[in-house]
Amino acid sequence: MSLNVILPPCPVEITLMLMGDRWKVLIVRDLLTGTKRFGELKKSLNGISQKVLTQHLRTMEKNGLISRKVYAQVPPKVEYTLTDVGQSLKQVHDAMLAWGSAYKSKQSANK
C-alpha cells in the first residue's frame, strides 16, 4: 500500500478504510473476472458518474488494489486490473456474496 497514513489498529477498520464504499466493492467484483476498460466498468456500474468512477479508480490504484495500464494510441486505451493485493479481496467478496444470497433467500421465504 502506498498510503502515507497511519493505519487504524483495528483490521476491520483498515478494510473499511480501503473498501468501505459501495462502488469500490463493485469495482472489485467486476475486476475479479479479469481486466476491464474504463467504459466497461462504467457500463457495469449502473448509476456511477464518470467523475466518481475516476476518483475511485485513482484511489484504488494509489492504495495498491488495482493497476492501470495506458496504451499509447489514439483514441487512448486504458485498462484496469486487480493487483495481487486486490485479488486477495476475493475471499471478502465471496463471503459478501454468500451472506447476501442467504439473506435474500430468507427474506423471500418470509413473504
Side-chain angles (χ1 to χ4, degrees), residues 25-100:
V25 172
L26 295 176
I27 290 167
V28 168
R29 174 202 66 189
D30 287 354
L31 293 178
L32 279 169
T33 61
T35 299
K36 301 279 186 294
R37 293 179 67 177
F38 185 90
E40 292 174 293
L41 291 169
K42 174 114 176 49
K43 188 175 182 180
S44 175
L45 302 170
N46 191 23
I48 194 169
S49 70
Q50 184 168 330
K51 178 183 175 184
V52 170
L53 178 55
T54 298
Q55 288 172 338
H56 284 315
L57 290 170
R58 285 181 183 159
T59 300
M60 293 172 76
E61 182 181 15
K62 179 181 166 191
N63 292 339
L65 301 176
I66 64 172
S67 63
R68 178 178 182 256
K69 184 173 182 181
V70 180
Y71 294 87
Q73 65 182 51
V74 177
K77 177 181 174 183
V78 181
E79 292 181 334
Y80 297 91
T81 307
L82 288 175
T83 62
D84 289 342
V85 173
Q87 283 286 341
S88 70
L89 289 165
K90 183 178 183 336
Q91 59 189 337
V92 175
H93 172 271
D94 291 349
M96 291 174 71
L97 176 67
W99 188 90

